[in-house]
Amino acid sequence: MSSFNPYQAPKSALIHPSPDAAGRAGEQAGPWRDGKDLVAQRHGELPARCVKCNAEAKAPKLQQRYYWHHRGWHLLILFNLVIYVIVRVAIRKSARLDVGVCAEHARKRRVAMWAVALLLSASVATLLVAMNQRLGGVAYLSSLALLLAAIAVGLFKARLLYPKRIDERYARYAGCGDAFLATLPSFGDNDR
């Protein structure tokens, strides 16, 4: 009698190997470098080194969750923002990475996050004052400029890494320092 069950759910071939199975198969568990990019398994952990300068990382590591979707989906914003948000939540791929950061870069990140909070607060306060006092367009433009400054500081100063692509097995990140990447093996050496 055959053990085939036509009603059984299919099994995926994209199962993440356990560390001991990876060692037996000759595959490293990662992370790797690929040019200026960091490549890691979707749910991985980095060495206890700062991702920016390769100094000794302070404990504990930051547990970061990253989300990614193809940039082409941004065209939905032109049609309807609500539909874009719904589609984005439905199709996005996620990854988790334990990131090490040294005391100096942790302090810089903390200062940037406070700057974002203050700029957002100032933007909302300026907008509320402009609406209550019926001020002209200059106050509204000031509120918009503060909002854009908060977004810029958040994107360029407060984040450590950002995802460039996430697939079923690997996640590719940008934002690592060259000193950190130099300590990692090349992704091309890994038997994908």
Side-chain angles (χ1 to χ4, degrees):
M1 186 166 153
S2 173
S3 65
F4 175 72
N5 182 355
Y7 302 106
Q8 183 180 11
K11 296 189 182 195
S12 173
L14 298 174
I15 297 173
H16 299 294
S18 63
D20 59 338
R24 281 182 277 138
E27 181 182 325
Q28 296 174 328
W32 306 273
R33 74 175 185 279
D34 189 15
K36 294 270 189 187
D37 295 342
L38 167 73
V39 179
Q41 296 207 6
R42 278 184 61 187
H43 303 290
E45 184 175 344
L46 296 180
R49 312 290 294 167
C50 179
V51 295
K52 295 295 185 179
C53 65
N54 202 37
E56 188 70 28
K58 70 172 189 121
K61 291 183 181 177
L62 300 173
Q63 294 181 354
Q64 302 283 303
R65 179 160 296 277
Y66 297 96
Y67 298 100
W68 177 84
H69 63 80
H70 192 276
R71 291 181 182 176
W73 290 104
H74 287 115
L75 292 175
L76 283 177
I77 295 173
L78 299 174
F79 299 108
N80 190 327
L81 183 62
V82 174
I83 291 175
Y84 165 73
V85 170
I86 293 169
V87 169
R88 179 182 178 191
V89 169
I91 64 160
R92 70 183 180 182
K93 296 184 180 182
S94 67
R96 184 194 52 80
L97 191 63
D98 294 341
V99 179
V101 65
C102 68
E104 178 186 350
H105 284 101
R107 183 190 58 77
K108 287 181 181 180
R109 181 173 182 261
R110 206 170 29 254
V111 167
M113 290 171 68
W114 276 105
V116 167
L118 290 174
L119 287 168
L120 283 175
S121 300
S123 174
V124 170
T126 304
L127 181 64
L128 291 176
V129 167
M131 289 170 44
N132 287 338
Q133 301 295 324
R134 296 195 170 103
L135 298 176
V138 174
Y140 290 110
L141 288 176
S142 299
S143 176
L144 179 63
L146 289 169
L147 176 65
L148 293 175
I151 292 171
V153 170
L155 286 177
F156 297 113
K157 295 292 184 184
R159 68 181 178 176
L160 296 172
L161 303 175
Y162 58 94
K164 291 179 75 176
R165 180 172 180 76
I166 298 174
D167 60 23
E168 273 60 6
R169 188 169 182 189
Y170 297 111
R172 181 177 295 269
Y173 304 95
C176 284
D178 292 333
F180 178 76
L181 288 174
T183 63
L184 301 176
S186 177
F187 188 59
D189 297 340
N190 178 33
D191 295 327
R192 290 177 258 179

Short mmCIF file of all heavy atoms in Angstrom, two decimals, residues 112 116 148-162:
data_model
loop_
_atom_site.label_atom_id
_atom_site.label_comp_id
_atom_site.label_asym_id
_atom_site.label_seq_id
_atom_site.Cartn_x
_atom_site.Cartn_y
_atom_site.Cartn_z
N ALA A 112 19.45 60.81 17.62
CA ALA A 112 18.68 61.00 16.38
C ALA A 112 17.20 60.69 16.61
O ALA A 112 16.33 61.38 16.09
CB ALA A 112 19.24 60.11 15.28
N VAL A 116 14.08 63.25 16.10
CA VAL A 116 12.88 62.96 15.32
C VAL A 116 11.63 63.27 16.14
O VAL A 116 10.68 63.90 15.65
CB VAL A 116 12.87 61.48 14.84
CG1 VAL A 116 11.51 61.08 14.31
CG2 VAL A 116 13.94 61.26 13.80
N LEU A 148 9.22 67.20 7.18
CA LEU A 148 10.19 66.65 6.25
C LEU A 148 11.56 66.47 6.91
O LEU A 148 12.27 65.49 6.64
CB LEU A 148 10.30 67.52 5.00
CG LEU A 148 9.05 67.55 4.12
CD1 LEU A 148 9.24 68.53 2.97
CD2 LEU A 148 8.73 66.16 3.60
N ALA A 149 11.93 67.41 7.78
CA ALA A 149 13.20 67.27 8.52
C ALA A 149 13.16 66.06 9.44
O ALA A 149 14.15 65.33 9.56
CB ALA A 149 13.48 68.55 9.30
N ALA A 150 12.03 65.81 10.10
CA ALA A 150 11.89 64.64 10.97
C ALA A 150 12.03 63.36 10.17
O ALA A 150 12.70 62.41 10.60
CB ALA A 150 10.55 64.68 11.70
N ILE A 151 11.43 63.30 9.00
CA ILE A 151 11.53 62.11 8.15
C ILE A 151 12.97 61.90 7.70
O ILE A 151 13.49 60.78 7.73
CB ILE A 151 10.57 62.24 6.94
CG1 ILE A 151 9.11 62.17 7.42
CG2 ILE A 151 10.85 61.16 5.90
CD1 ILE A 151 8.10 62.49 6.34
N ALA A 152 13.64 62.99 7.30
CA ALA A 152 15.03 62.87 6.84
C ALA A 152 15.95 62.38 7.96
O ALA A 152 16.79 61.50 7.76
CB ALA A 152 15.51 64.21 6.29
N VAL A 153 15.81 62.94 9.16
CA VAL A 153 16.65 62.52 10.28
C VAL A 153 16.36 61.06 10.62
O VAL A 153 17.27 60.27 10.89
CB VAL A 153 16.43 63.43 11.51
CG1 VAL A 153 17.10 62.86 12.75
CG2 VAL A 153 16.97 64.83 11.23
N GLY A 154 15.10 60.67 10.59
CA GLY A 154 14.75 59.29 10.88
C GLY A 154 15.32 58.31 9.87
O GLY A 154 15.80 57.23 10.23
N LEU A 155 15.28 58.68 8.58
CA LEU A 155 15.77 57.79 7.54
C LEU A 155 17.29 57.70 7.49
O LEU A 155 17.84 56.63 7.23
CB LEU A 155 15.25 58.23 6.17
CG LEU A 155 13.79 57.96 5.87
CD1 LEU A 155 13.41 58.53 4.52
CD2 LEU A 155 13.51 56.47 5.91
N PHE A 156 17.97 58.81 7.72
CA PHE A 156 19.41 58.82 7.49
C PHE A 156 20.25 58.74 8.76
O PHE A 156 21.41 58.37 8.70
CB PHE A 156 19.80 60.07 6.69
CG PHE A 156 19.18 60.09 5.33
CD1 PHE A 156 18.24 61.04 5.00
CD2 PHE A 156 19.52 59.14 4.38
CE1 PHE A 156 17.66 61.06 3.75
CE2 PHE A 156 18.93 59.14 3.13
CZ PHE A 156 18.00 60.11 2.81
N LYS A 157 19.70 59.06 9.91
CA LYS A 157 20.50 59.06 11.14
C LYS A 157 20.05 58.04 12.17
O LYS A 157 20.86 57.51 12.91
CB LYS A 157 20.48 60.46 11.79
CG LYS A 157 21.13 61.54 10.95
CD LYS A 157 22.60 61.31 10.85
CE LYS A 157 23.28 62.44 10.11
NZ LYS A 157 24.69 62.19 9.92
N ALA A 158 18.75 57.76 12.25
CA ALA A 158 18.24 56.93 13.34
C ALA A 158 18.25 55.43 13.02
O ALA A 158 18.32 54.62 13.93
CB ALA A 158 16.83 57.36 13.73
N ARG A 159 18.21 55.06 11.76
CA ARG A 159 18.15 53.63 11.46
C ARG A 159 19.56 53.06 11.29
O ARG A 159 20.47 53.72 10.79
CB ARG A 159 17.29 53.35 10.25
CG ARG A 159 17.85 53.84 8.95
CD ARG A 159 16.89 53.52 7.83
NE ARG A 159 17.41 54.05 6.58
CZ ARG A 159 16.83 53.86 5.43
NH1 ARG A 159 15.72 53.17 5.37
NH2 ARG A 159 17.35 54.36 4.34
N LEU A 160 19.70 51.81 11.69
CA LEU A 160 20.99 51.13 11.59
C LEU A 160 21.16 50.49 10.23
O LEU A 160 22.12 50.77 9.51
CB LEU A 160 21.10 50.06 12.69
CG LEU A 160 21.10 50.58 14.11
CD1 LEU A 160 21.00 49.42 15.09
CD2 LEU A 160 22.36 51.38 14.36
N LEU A 161 20.25 49.62 9.87
CA LEU A 161 20.27 48.91 8.60
C LEU A 161 18.92 49.09 7.93
O LEU A 161 17.94 49.42 8.58
CB LEU A 161 20.51 47.41 8.82
CG LEU A 161 21.76 47.00 9.57
CD1 LEU A 161 21.76 45.49 9.80
CD2 LEU A 161 22.99 47.41 8.83
N TYR A 162 18.88 48.87 6.64
CA TYR A 162 17.60 48.87 5.96
C TYR A 162 17.59 47.74 4.93
O TYR A 162 18.62 47.43 4.32
CB TYR A 162 17.27 50.21 5.31
CG TYR A 162 18.28 50.72 4.32
CD1 TYR A 162 18.11 50.47 2.96
CD2 TYR A 162 19.38 51.45 4.73
CE1 TYR A 162 19.04 50.94 2.04
CE2 TYR A 162 20.30 51.92 3.82
CZ TYR A 162 20.12 51.67 2.47
OH TYR A 162 21.04 52.11 1.56
#
